[in-house]
Amino acid sequence: MKKFLLALTSVALGAASAQAADLAAHYTKAPVMAPAYNWTGFYVGGNVGGQWGSADPRTSTVFSPTGYFTGSSVPAIGTVGAQHVNSSSVTGGFTAGYNWQVNSAVLGLEGDINYFGFKGSATGSALYPCCAPTAFTVSSQVSADWLATIRGRLGFLATPNWLIYATGGAAIADVKANFNFTDTFDAATESGSMRDTRVGWTAGVGGEYAVGNGWSLKAEYLYVDLGRATTTSTNLTGAFTGPSPSNVYTHSADLKSNIVRVGVNYKFGGPVVARY
């Protein structure tokens, strides 16, 4: 009888051991946590693109009883002096900024400086209403070599790696302009020039995609308006009539541009959030 009980106990223990081994073979590990990109942090980058813009230079003068012009000449000069120039060029430069991610929102501050390459000129001529066939010519040139912006960014995450944003802030550029007036009545000449570091505004939209290891790619559109700068001159001089300082000239120019560019950024450090 004792031998029979011992045999049954051995069989039962063997079955239990086999069941335990079978259960161990079906053990499943917990899922591995994967890092999700976090946009918080300081970044630097570069960009390249193109700009197409315009400027509206203006030249006008005033009538003076002791001056060079008759009354009908002044509005004629103002009409010809209302000119328009277009410009397009390649742009490129450097960017730096900082982002703060709050859930699916990303707030940032960004600055950049770029080669701008804005340059355009215009020329117009007309007969003097009083004194045909003598005529006059007005010419203008407007340029800006560089452009810098300081902008805020406000965006949302379409996916953890895909940021859509709006941006806006200040635009700064060194705007230069030259103006010239000549005529065939008395070989009269006048010139004016200005160089002004203009502070205007800019606004736009963009998208940025994080490709990993701190790198991201972006595409962006900006509209820039640098306002209007003005200068005056009193250097009108005729070959025989001499100087006419009472005919004060006013010269001005504005500058507006559209910019489309692509770029690459590298973010330093910043937290990484774990997800399943």
Side-chain angles (χ1 to χ4, degrees), residues 103-264:
N103 297 323
S104 293
V106 177
L107 293 79
L109 182 64
E110 183 173 280
D112 59 61
I113 185 164
N114 290 267
Y115 170 74
F116 193 30
F118 185 102
K119 187 175 183 180
S121 61
T123 299
S125 299
L127 299 176
Y128 279 121
C130 67
C131 314
T134 60
F136 64 90
T137 298
V138 178
S139 60
S140 309
Q141 301 87 36
V142 182
S143 64
D145 294 330
W146 57 267
L147 173 72
T149 72
I150 302 173
R151 296 172 284 107
R153 298 204 311 174
L154 176 60
F156 72 94
L157 295 174
T159 72
N161 289 54
W162 181 246
L163 173 66
I164 307 297
Y165 64 87
T167 183
I172 307 162
D174 186 30
V175 178
K176 294 172 284 188
N178 294 290
F179 308 87
N180 290 278
F181 171 89
T182 60
D183 79 359
T184 60
F185 181 80
D186 189 24
T189 61
E190 180 275 339
S191 63
S193 64
M194 61 184 181
R195 182 173 183 173
D196 189 10
T197 301
R198 301 293 302 165
V199 179
W201 62 273
T202 180
V205 295
E208 189 168 354
Y209 185 77
V211 296
N213 297 320
W215 293 97
S216 62
L217 305 175
K218 75 174 185 178
E220 186 174 66
Y221 164 79
L222 294 176
Y223 176 78
V224 173
D225 188 337
L226 293 168
R228 180 170 290 274
T230 303
T231 189
T232 60
S233 78
T234 57
N235 60 18
L236 176 67
T237 302
F240 297 102
T241 56
S244 297
S246 61
N247 292 120
V248 179
Y249 273 73
T250 299
H251 303 290
S252 67
D254 66 350
L255 195 158
K256 301 174 182 177
S257 183
N258 300 274
I259 300 171
V260 174
R261 58 194 185 185
V262 295
V264 58

Side-chain angles (χ1 to χ4, degrees), residues 47-138:
N47 66 80
V48 65
Q51 71 83 20
W52 68 98
S54 65
D56 294 311
R58 298 284 184 263
T59 293
S60 63
T61 190
V62 297
F63 174 75
S64 170
T66 60
Y68 179 74
F69 299 113
T70 65
S72 61
S73 298
V74 170
I77 292 170
T79 298
V80 174
Q83 299 180 337
H84 181 80
V85 302
N86 293 313
S87 172
S88 61
S89 64
V90 174
T91 70
F94 302 98
T95 302
Y98 193 92
N99 285 325
W100 295 267
Q101 180 176 343
V102 182
N103 297 323
S104 293
V106 177
L107 293 79
L109 182 64
E110 183 173 280
D112 59 61
I113 185 164
N114 290 267
Y115 170 74
F116 193 30
F118 185 102
K119 187 175 183 180
S121 61
T123 299
S125 299
L127 299 176
Y128 279 121
C130 67
C131 314
T134 60
F136 64 90
T137 298
V138 178

